Amino acid sequence: MSQITTINPATEEPLASYDLMSETKATQIVEAAHAAFLDWRTKTHAERGEHLNAIAAKLRENADELAKLMTREVGKLYEDGKTEVELCAGIFEYAAKHGPEVLADEERVHGDGKRGVVTYQPIGVVYSIQPWNFPLYQPVRVLAANLMAGNGCVLKH
């Protein structure tokens, strides 16, 4: 099976090698994401928000390790990596705090006096392909909002 190797851009030292995923494995991952989505979509906004806040806390808890990894893998300055981690934690917290209001049902009255409701419902699993230059921020900007909305996500970095 073919492999992909990550290389430190500053030293050209190989960091790790990974087997390329087979089509069968990729299909299994998408199916697992869909199975998780079927449960996740039933969670309330408040329940989802608790999970998003927990993700923010884990990001902060692991900020040093994540920043060092960004430095090794993409050449990002350590302090810039720490800043990126904090930004991402803030994005998850923002989605948790404001998501329930933004995603709340909206009642509308039409000119003839009839009422309608606009409702925001989860749509399924989102497949997100992201570039490498902001290795945490790029995925988080997709993940936080979609998880808050009740969708599942599969990331291809």
Side-chain angles (χ1 to χ4, degrees):
M1 178 176 273
S2 297
Q3 289 192 325
I4 187 167
T5 300
T6 57
I7 297 172
N8 182 318
T11 65
E12 297 186 6
E13 169 192 354
L15 298 172
S17 293
Y18 305 92
D19 290 335
L20 292 179
M21 191 178 296
S22 68
E23 183 176 338
T24 300
K25 182 65 175 173
T27 299
Q28 290 172 347
I29 288 171
V30 171
E31 289 171 351
H34 179 71
F37 158 73
L38 294 176
D39 178 58
W40 183 248
R41 70 181 180 177
T42 67
K43 306 291 183 210
T44 66
H45 293 135
E47 290 171 320
R48 293 179 203 151
E50 288 177 17
H51 288 281
L52 269 59
N53 283 322
I55 292 170
K58 278 292 185 190
L59 287 172
R60 287 191 179 104
E61 181 181 316
N62 294 287
D64 286 331
E65 181 182 342
L66 291 166
K68 288 175 186 174
L69 182 63
M70 286 185 235
T71 298
R72 286 193 312 273
E73 288 192 348
V74 300
K76 186 175 284 285
L77 296 175
Y78 174 78
E79 286 304 320
D80 290 346
K82 294 268 296 201
T83 299
E84 187 170 335
V85 171
E86 182 56 35
L87 171 67
C88 292
I91 290 170
F92 275 110
E93 290 171 337
Y94 183 91
K97 180 177 180 180
H98 298 283
E101 180 183 340
V102 171
L103 296 168
D105 289 350
E106 299 173 26
E107 188 173 311
R108 300 202 177 151
V109 179
H110 300 281
D112 60 3
K114 292 185 178 176
R115 295 175 171 229
V117 175
V118 176
T119 186
Y120 300 94
Q121 298 296 314
I123 59 171
V125 175
V126 175
Y127 181 55
S128 179
I129 301 173
Q130 295 297 320
W132 59 269
N133 56 332
F134 287 90
L136 194 56
Y137 168 73
Q138 294 287 14
V140 165
R141 68 188 180 92
V142 173
L143 294 172
N146 273 293
L147 290 174
M148 187 65 210
N151 296 313
C153 296
V154 172
L155 173 65
K156 194 303 190 178
H157 225 326

